[in-house]
Amino acid sequence: MQLKLFLVATALALSAPSAEAQQMAFGKGVCEKFVLGRNNMTKECDTKLMNSTYDNGRTGFYFVFKRGSIITFSGMDRPNPTPDTDLFAIDKVIFSAGGATKEFAATGSCRYGNYKAGHKRIRCKGTSDDGQPFEAVFRLTAPPEG
């Protein structure tokens, strides 16, 4: 599964617009909430999460699902609300499953903090371009690797 995850993340990174990834991190933990529109997908959400950061300020969180699909919240970095928290504005949601990838415009934000400072939750919330709300909360149980 880790190799498959790496290959999907690499394919997504390669499809990003001419920016080079500065950092790719892998986390383990608990998907506490994952809701898209009226679909509560929390039970299908896996214990793995990936994060990519590009030199142009784009970043993304890749939520992995038990059947191999990945949903990514992607957007541009914003000023840190506090010294130990970070924020990015979501401008698209990317669905990857079975070798196919689809992007949808969206608005929202992901907020997360410094694991070493005790901040272990990643929270993403917003609305797709067709008006569907989404929300995801992931709690890290170990320091991210990468």
Side-chain angles (χ1 to χ4, degrees):
M1 179 67 163
Q2 190 70 20
L3 177 60
K4 183 177 179 182
L5 218 51
F6 176 76
L7 293 174
V8 170
T10 301
L12 288 173
L14 291 174
S15 68
S18 72
E20 292 186 27
Q22 288 181 329
Q23 179 181 347
M24 182 71 91
F26 299 86
K28 292 182 181 179
V30 178
C31 186
E32 295 181 336
K33 183 176 189 176
F34 200 102
V35 178
L36 284 173
R38 294 183 181 163
N39 299 312
N40 186 336
M41 301 167 61
T42 305
K43 290 182 180 179
E44 294 301 315
C45 193
D46 205 348
T47 59
K48 297 174 185 76
L49 180 79
M50 295 179 294
N51 172 247
S52 62
T53 305
Y54 296 88
D55 59 1
N56 65 355
R58 180 161 294 281
T59 190
F61 280 111
Y62 302 70
F63 287 81
V64 180
F65 290 83
K66 293 176 182 170
R67 294 186 181 164
S69 60
I70 296 176
I71 298 176
T72 305
F73 300 115
S74 179
M76 300 304 289
D77 195 27
R78 293 291 178 246
N80 294 356
T82 71
D84 282 326
T85 59
D86 206 347
L87 175 75
F88 72 83
I90 296 170
D91 59 15
K92 62 182 164 181
V93 178
I94 305 166
F95 295 90
S96 304
T101 301
K102 289 187 178 186
E103 291 185 15
F104 299 90
T107 56
S109 65
C110 285
R111 183 183 211 104
Y112 53 103
N114 181 343
Y115 184 88
K116 292 178 184 176
H119 301 281
K120 296 178 172 58
R121 279 192 175 79
I122 293 106
R123 298 176 189 273
C124 299
K125 188 174 183 177
T127 307
S128 65
D129 64 344
D130 65 354
Q132 296 297 310
F134 58 83
E135 184 175 5
V137 179
F138 191 92
R139 180 177 42 87
L140 295 168
T141 57
E145 298 176 8

